[in-house]
């Protein structure tokens, strides 16, 4: 819904408004573009007020003024953009332009594996049963882009296939793979219609066979995969990430070398060593990596590094770190951390907390000692955490997939600001996550 109000009739008047509220909650960089009756003097940021507050930039061109939201907006929220003292070139009475729009509730996809068939289900924060959009006898994993679902399946010979559909499950087509083999660590870029995965030939171990080689494919055109070439390190990818807003890839090779690589074939840039890539904050170039059990924040644009501030040891040892985009939290530059208290080799408690730049922790979820926390990520607008939980691990057997998951899984949607109750839906591998679960 969009409404408009313009004061001072003799000043610039609005003739057209363009805004996509759905994109605004799922991607950074969405714009509100207002066209007026006159060529405009440049609008300064000080003239713009957004309620509720949101980071933005503003630009003026001819008869239009554009407000760009630098981060995704809150879902299910009414926003008002007010621009004061708008004047036409050559002089005109100042006008106030005010536009109101409402962002939609968030929806998402989850994977529900079954005895006979696996399903990808679209659901929302109401916690209802959802709608099945795709089913197959064997779904290993999937990713969702702005326009497509990419589903990794397996046939009776356990060979992988990649099937692309629209978001309603229609228009299915198969992407070509490098050969007969196995796809793992499927990921999608935030933009550019790119996906990536590691590929292993079925005859791995034979001369010339590929093992865990990173492949990049476009969802447009032929979809033929391009292998990311790695020099100066073991070419096998133990882990990797698309770097948001760039054409780069952060890759951890099997020998522990951390590289900033390019799918175009340019020589990779060495970034030291690491045990694990914890993640890259959405809509940023800030990565967190584990170096000998010391977690380091790395700005991939400048290569500046800084160790994470530790939390109170009484809260437990650090298991997982999920970086949050700068400025999205009232806690300042924050991370989402999984902290576990141990008694010997037994887990006494597991807590998921928002940790601010000073190391102060604010718990948002507690996991019962008998349950397992398999995966943690955040929604595109960083308003919610998504936790993949396996209830009662003692009786919850893992299946026999290449990416094994417990028979019973739940996805908890937890507000990061503490407002509202968590929502629990059946299934795993929520489409908000940029990487697969790590059982």
């Amino acid at each position: 819904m969009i409404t408009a109000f313009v004061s001072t009739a003799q000043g610039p008047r609005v003739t057209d408004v363009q805004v996509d509220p759905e994109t605004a909650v799922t991607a950074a960089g969405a714009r509100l573009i207002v066209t007026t009756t006159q060529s405009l003097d440049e609008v300064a940021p000080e003239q713009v007020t957004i309620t509720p507050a949101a980071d933005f930039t503003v630009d003026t061109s001819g008869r239009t003024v554009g407000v760009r939201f630098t981060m995704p907006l809150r879902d299910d929220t009414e926003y008002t953009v007010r621009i004061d003292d708008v004047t036409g070139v050559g002089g005109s009475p100042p006008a106030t332009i005010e536009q109101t729009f409402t962002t939609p509730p968030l929806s998402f996809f989850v994977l529900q594996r079954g005895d006979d068939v696996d399903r990808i289900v679209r659901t929302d924060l109401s916690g209802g049963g959802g709608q099945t959009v795709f089913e197959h006898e064997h779904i290993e994993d999937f990713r969702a882009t702005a326009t497509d679902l990419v589903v990794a399946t397996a046939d009776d010979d356990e060979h992988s296939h990649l099937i692309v559909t629209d978001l309603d499950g229609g228009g299915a087509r198969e992407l070509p793979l490098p050969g007969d083999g196995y796809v793992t660590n499927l990921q999608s870029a935030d933009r550019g219609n790119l996906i990536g995965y590691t590929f292993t030939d079925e005859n791995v171990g034979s001369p010339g066979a590929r093992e865990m080689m990173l492949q990049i494919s476009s969802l447009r055109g032929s979809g033929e995969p391009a292998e990311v070439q790695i020099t100066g390190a073991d070419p096998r990818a133990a882990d990797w990430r698309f770097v948001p807003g760039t054409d780069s890839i952060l890759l951890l090779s099997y020998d522990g070398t951390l590289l900033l690589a390019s799918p175009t074939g340019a020589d990779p840039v060495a970034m030291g060593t690491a045990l694990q890539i914890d993640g890259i904050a959405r809509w940023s170039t800030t990565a967190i990596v584990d170096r000998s059990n010391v977690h380091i924040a790395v700005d991939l644009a400048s290569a500046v590094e800084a160790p994470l501030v530790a939390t109170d040891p009484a809260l437990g040892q650090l298991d997982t770190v999920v970086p949050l985009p700068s400025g999205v939290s009232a806690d300042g530059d924050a991370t989402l951390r999984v902290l576990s208290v141990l008694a010997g080799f037994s887990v006494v408690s597991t807590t998921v907390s928002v940790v601010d730049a000073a190391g102060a922790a604010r718990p948002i979820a507690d996991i019962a000692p008998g349950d397992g926390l398999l995966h943690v990520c955040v929604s595109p607008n960083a308003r919610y955490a998504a936790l993949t939980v396996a209830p009662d691990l003692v009786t919850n057997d893992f299946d026999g997939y290449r990416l094994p998951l417990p028979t019973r899984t739940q996805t908890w949607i937890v507000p990061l600001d503490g407002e509202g109750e968590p929502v629990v839906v059946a299934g795993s591998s929520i489409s908000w996550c940029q990487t697969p679960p790590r059982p």
Side-chain angles (χ1 to χ4, degrees):
M1 178 183 69
I2 303 172
T3 60
F5 170 79
V6 184
S7 68
T8 313
Q10 294 174 335
R13 298 188 305 279
V14 174
T15 61
D16 185 58
V17 179
Q18 299 178 40
V19 64
D20 184 348
E22 185 169 354
T23 297
V25 299
T26 59
R31 300 182 75 204
L32 170 77
I33 301 175
V34 178
T35 302
T36 69
T37 55
Q38 303 177 25
S39 294
L40 301 175
D41 288 326
E42 184 173 352
V43 174
E46 295 77 17
Q47 295 171 245
V48 181
T49 303
I50 300 178
T51 307
D55 292 338
F56 68 92
T57 60
V58 61
D59 61 87
T60 313
S61 177
R63 296 187 298 117
T64 66
V65 56
V67 176
R68 178 182 180 273
F69 307 108
T70 56
M71 294 294 296
L73 301 179
R74 293 168 62 96
D75 54 289
D76 199 15
T77 300
E78 182 179 273
Y79 277 87
T80 298
V81 178
R82 180 185 174 95
I83 309 174
D84 292 315
D85 299 325
V86 180
T87 55
V89 173
S92 70
T96 295
I97 297 174
E98 188 172 292
Q99 301 292 329
T100 298
F101 63 92
T102 300
T103 57
L106 280 178
S107 63
F108 48 87
F109 300 88
V110 293
L111 172 61
Q112 296 177 352
R113 288 181 179 168
D115 294 334
D116 300 317
V117 67
D118 301 333
R119 296 179 173 85
I120 296 174
V121 175
R122 178 166 46 203
T123 186
D124 56 32
L125 295 177
S126 69
Q131 174 192 10
T132 298
V133 298
F134 183 85
E135 59 183 35
H136 190 276
E137 292 81 3
H138 186 130
I139 299 177
E140 283 282 340
D141 197 13
F142 80 99
R143 290 291 169 270
T145 72
T147 56
D148 300 285
L149 292 175
V150 184
V151 188
T153 66
D155 59 26
D156 292 340
D157 295 323
E158 297 187 0
H159 293 153
S160 293
H161 298 265
L162 285 178
I163 300 173
V164 181
T165 76
D166 59 37
L167 295 179
D168 292 325
R173 59 189 175 90
E174 188 164 342
L175 283 182
L177 295 179
D180 290 333
Y182 315 107
V183 167
T184 52
N185 208 348
L186 175 67
Q187 299 182 39
S188 61
D190 284 328
R191 66 179 189 180
N193 295 304
L194 297 179
I195 63 157
Y197 54 89
T198 48
F199 181 81
T200 299
D201 282 313
E202 65 171 341
N203 62 339
V204 63
S206 302
R210 291 161 292 202
E211 180 184 9
M212 299 298 289
M213 302 300 292
L214 180 57
Q215 311 285 330
I216 305 297
S217 292
S218 172
L219 299 182
R220 302 295 176 260
S222 68
E224 290 288 342
E227 191 166 284
V228 177
Q229 301 298 314
I230 299 299
T231 58
D234 189 320
R236 295 173 296 174
D239 200 0
W240 71 279
R241 299 289 191 282
F242 284 110
V243 180
T246 75
D247 295 326
S248 298
I249 293 164
L250 185 64
L251 183 145
L252 179 63
S253 78
Y254 260 51
D255 62 10
T257 303
L258 191 66
L259 299 164
L260 199 59
S262 169
T264 64
D267 290 338
V269 177
M271 304 289 290
T273 60
L275 297 177
Q276 178 176 293
I277 300 172
D278 288 307
I280 302 178
R282 302 192 82 137
W283 326 114
S284 82
T285 56
T286 300
I288 295 180
V289 300
D290 182 357
R291 288 186 173 154
S292 300
N293 295 317
V294 176
H295 296 264
I296 305 292
V298 183
D299 185 338
L300 300 176
S302 64
V304 173
E305 301 182 0
L308 288 188
V309 175
T311 55
D312 183 346
L315 298 176
Q317 70 177 30
L318 180 59
D319 290 338
T320 304
V321 181
V322 177
L324 298 176
S326 178
V328 303
S329 171
D331 303 272
D333 290 338
T335 55
L336 194 62
R337 305 191 197 184
V338 179
L339 300 164
S340 295
V341 176
L342 304 180
F345 294 102
S346 299
V347 178
V348 176
S349 66
T350 299
T351 303
V352 182
S353 297
V354 176
V355 179
D356 68 17
R362 177 171 54 80
I364 63 167
D366 293 313
I367 310 301
D371 297 343
L373 179 60
L374 305 182
H375 201 203
V376 180
C377 68
V378 297
S379 61
N381 63 359
R383 188 179 180 186
Y384 306 94
L387 317 181
T388 302
V389 177
D392 192 14
L393 274 179
V394 173
T395 64
N396 198 351
D397 294 335
F398 280 74
D399 56 35
Y401 286 45
R402 189 166 293 275
L403 176 59
L405 293 171
T407 304
R408 303 186 308 279
T409 56
Q410 299 174 340
T411 298
W412 298 6
I413 310 298
V414 184
L416 288 178
D417 58 10
E419 298 178 4
E421 295 297 319
V423 174
V424 178
V425 299
S428 68
S429 310
I430 183 171
S431 54
W432 291 346
C433 294
Q434 298 162 299
T435 61
R438 292 178 174 176

